[in-house]
Amino acid sequence: MVKIAVLISGNGSNLQAIIDAVKHKELDLCIECVISDNPNAYGLERAKSAGIKTHIVQRGKELSKQMLPLVASVDYIVLAGFLSILSADFCDKWTNKIMNLHPSLLPKYGGKGMYGMYVHKAVLKNNEKQSGATVHWVTAGIDQGAIILQETCDISLDETPETLANKIHKIEHKILIEALKTII
Ligand code: GRF
């Protein structure tokens, strides 16, 4: 069975979507462990409740080094709201094995500093008519790897960063599972 490690920094609703899909036999894979660069991430509680091993890594230069032994036995790594940047060496070693989720229609609104609400605020500031979410492969260039799956949503006239974030979260929970199904 395919084994994955899920990397998180916060709430972990996308991690929960994977946990639920596995539980409901929609996805046939094993979440070997959940790794967080934030000891207070709520996603760690979600992992523990599901009986999944958890690990904490320290943010900073040595992060990728700390990660190596933790992911040694997995086939794929899923970045589900993981805020640290993995080193170029690490990304090269794991070409087409690390998947990331991004809350915009990449290549738009990607790159350094473009995460969470920063993305949605920038999208609304530019009066975009549509936004969406992207699942892509991770390479050394931030948010630049090949796109696996993308889904679009319309932006309504009274949209706020919060309502857009909610819409996009729902899309993410769906396309992340679809992308994992495609890969396994
Ligand atoms: C998602 O919006 C994802 O696109 C981004 O971080 C967020 C994580 O949300 N990379 P959650 O922690 O899974 O709820």
Side-chain angles (χ1 to χ4, degrees):
M1 190 187 282
V2 167
K3 290 184 189 169
I4 65 167
V6 184
L7 276 51
I8 58 159
S9 299
N11 180 27
S13 68
N14 285 288
L15 164 67
Q16 190 67 54
I18 306 175
I19 292 173
D20 292 346
V22 171
K23 192 170 153 198
H24 297 127
K25 305 207 182 312
E26 206 190 311
L27 255 187
D28 191 21
L29 56 73
C30 168
I31 308 171
E32 182 70 6
C33 62
V34 169
I35 303 172
S36 176
D37 62 352
N38 168 14
N40 300 315
Y42 180 62
L44 289 169
E45 302 307 316
R46 298 181 189 269
K48 285 175 196 158
S49 304
I52 301 165
K53 247 184 294 173
T54 60
H55 305 283
I56 311 286
V57 286
Q58 304 298 318
R59 288 184 178 167
K61 267 196 191 157
E62 302 292 305
L63 180 129
S64 299
K65 233 186 231 172
Q66 298 165 54
M67 202 81 80
L68 282 172
L70 305 179
V71 296
S73 67
V74 307
D75 303 294
Y76 293 95
I77 297 172
V78 179
L79 309 189
F82 187 64
L83 293 180
S84 290
I85 306 293
L86 297 168
S87 71
D89 279 358
F90 188 92
C91 294
D92 290 347
K93 189 172 152 64
W94 283 82
T95 301
N96 287 354
K97 298 280 179 201
I98 313 175
M99 201 185 267
N100 184 43
L101 193 55
H102 188 80
S104 77
L105 297 172
L106 289 176
K108 285 176 128 186
Y109 304 100
K112 206 163 184 228
M114 272 295 160
Y115 62 90
M117 285 299 170
Y118 294 107
V119 174
H120 307 309
K121 284 180 184 160
V123 166
L124 294 181
K125 197 170 170 207
N126 285 345
N127 292 315
E128 297 282 1
K129 300 283 172 282
Q130 289 192 314
S131 190
T134 305
V135 183
H136 67 96
W137 290 119
V138 171
T139 58
I142 302 174
D143 296 330
Q144 287 172 12
I147 290 171
I148 302 168
L149 215 56
Q150 211 160 39
E151 193 174 306
T152 302
C153 65
D154 290 333
I155 295 180
S156 42
L157 290 174
D158 60 351
E159 204 79 72
T160 65
E162 290 73 22
T163 58
L164 185 56
N166 281 338
K167 260 186 201 173
I168 290 180
H169 255 115
K170 287 194 184 109
I171 295 176
E172 288 182 331
H173 298 161
K174 194 174 94 190
I175 64 171
L176 179 57
I177 305 306
E178 281 171 20
L180 283 166
K181 271 188 201 162
T182 312
I183 270 98
I184 61 170

